[in-house]
Amino acid sequence: MTMTNTEKNSYLTDVGNSGSVDYEETPDDFLEKRQLKKGTAGWILLAGLGVSYVISGDFAGWNFGLAQGGFGGMFIATLMMATMYTLMVFGLAELSSSIPTAGGGYGFARRAMGPLGGFLTGTAILLEYAIAPAAIAIFIGGYVSELFGFSGPLVYAAFYAIFIGIHIWGAGEALKIMLVITAVAATALLAFIVGMIPYFELSNLLDIPVNETVAGASAFLPEGYFGIWAAIPFAMWLFLAVEGVPLAAEETKNPGRDLPKGLITAMVILLVLGGLILFLAPGGSSANLMKDHAAPLVGALQHVYGESSSLAMFVNLVGLAGLVASFFSIIFAYSRQVFALSRAGYLPQWLSLTGKRKVPTLALIVPGVIGFLLSLTGEGDLMITMAVFGATISYAMMMLSHIILRIKEPDMHRPYRTPGGVITTGIAFILSIIAFASTFLVSLEAAMWSAVFYVIMLAYFVFYSRHHLVHNAPEEEFAAIAQAESSLK
């Protein structure tokens, strides 16, 4: 049954007033002032965006998993997380092609689990993407210090200002520049891979001293079975944030085709790069050397070719592009998540205003200022762990959304269908819960700060924003119209 706009608005208001939320009247030009530029990205740009989100994790961070579990623990943890992300990407490919809005995971969960479920998922994604750039800014500062001898707040501010400015210039321009930076970073990874292959030796993977006091300890698992569990958060760094591709849905040429293709292509590239880096960095040098090295790829090359080798210097210099690529792309991600939540009234509505270039300027600037202030703490590891904490919550919620929608709305238009259906996303859901639990082993402090963030955001929702939602925001309309048409059948 088809509903007129008047009937839709009336129904939406009734649903809000009779339930746990209220929808408020908005000006006629409300959505006109909150438009993103359509048709900016094709599947190639989306695949580049997916790789860009993650590529900094190939250069550093993953190797600390070797300290937690040795090569064997890190290898098994990586297999688990590679499985989780691959299955999750298949689920997200279906959800994003069916519900192509800038809200991404918030939009999926909103339709499946209502306003509170949508808000909690969106908040988890926001925790991941708003905090991660602050940590990456600190790591960029460290690279700049090594290369040029200076760092600190001016470096952080400069990077935030430059890359937020490029995003304000225009989404199409930003995505193309992002693709170029990512290609440069990928060149450094390929140079590293080619340079290390001749020096790979299996024995190098197993040279971490064995902790004889733990259960299951061996050369393969020097920290025993527990080391597998402890390595999981670091294994995630090889894939963390690829799930941000759906946030570009409203700027995609053909969401039903391009989003699944871009997501899956990005995941395949990340699987190949992550697997090669995991084996070649410790296998070509020493797992014991790599386990706590600040720049593992550079360290591995220096071990093989010498401290002043040209290849090591090249990877060291171009490796900065990997950090910049992730920093640049995650700014895009947080702005779209803030934009979508603001447009629907979950966050202050002025954050979603767009100008002539159809870019959410304030959604770029305000979280950027907050991120810059966080970067001044210098607590990069803490912030990354908080980002992982938020990510795992969002993964569980998004996979649960896929399962619920398959059951609740079996006839929903799905341009792409997940291979294996709910079995695929069910496995990803279980693995995301395991990953969430593992974050407590890395930093209880990060879990507590994340909980504080959640309490503040939830209080804002309960006492204010749930009474000021916008009924014609795409994510709200998708969900409520589906409910309306279901009740009218």
Side-chain angles (χ1 to χ4, degrees), residues 20 49 56 66 106 129 135 144 148 157-158 163 172 198-199 213 222 237 241 251 291 397 402 418 426 441 460 473 480:
S20 60
L49 177 61
S56 64
L66 296 173
Y106 140 62
Y129 287 127
V144 171
F148 306 111
F163 292 111
Y199 297 92
T213 64
W237 289 10
E251 293 151 283
K291 69 180 183 181
M397 296 290 281
H402 178 271
T418 303
L441 297 177
Y460 179 76

Side-chain angles (χ1 to χ4, degrees), residues 36 101-104 106-107 247 250 333-347 351-352 360 363 473-476:
L36 298 174
T101 69
Y106 140 62
L247 294 169
E250 291 183 32
Y334 78 55
S335 70
R336 270 46 180 183
Q337 188 64 76
V338 169
F339 167 81
L341 289 169
S342 167
R343 180 177 60 182
Y346 291 92
L347 294 179
L351 284 169
S352 54
E475 295 84 2
E476 295 300 302

Side-chain angles (χ1 to χ4, degrees), residues 80 109 146 210 448 454:
M80 292 172 63
E146 287 292 324
V210 178
M448 294 304 296
Y454 250 100

Side-chain angles (χ1 to χ4, degrees), residues 55-63 143 185 188-193 196 238 273 276-278 280-282 285 289-290 293-305 309 311-313 315-316 319:
I55 199 166
S56 64
D58 286 317
F59 286 91
W62 62 269
N63 55 305
Y143 249 88
L189 292 179
L190 293 175
F192 170 82
I193 290 166
M196 293 301 293
L238 293 168
L273 290 176
L276 289 171
I277 295 298
L278 176 61
L280 291 176
S285 59
L289 172 66
M290 292 293 95
H293 203 291
L297 305 195
V298 176
L301 290 170
Q302 288 175 338
H303 180 81
V304 171
Y305 292 97
S309 73
L311 183 56
M313 292 176 65
V315 172
N316 192 18

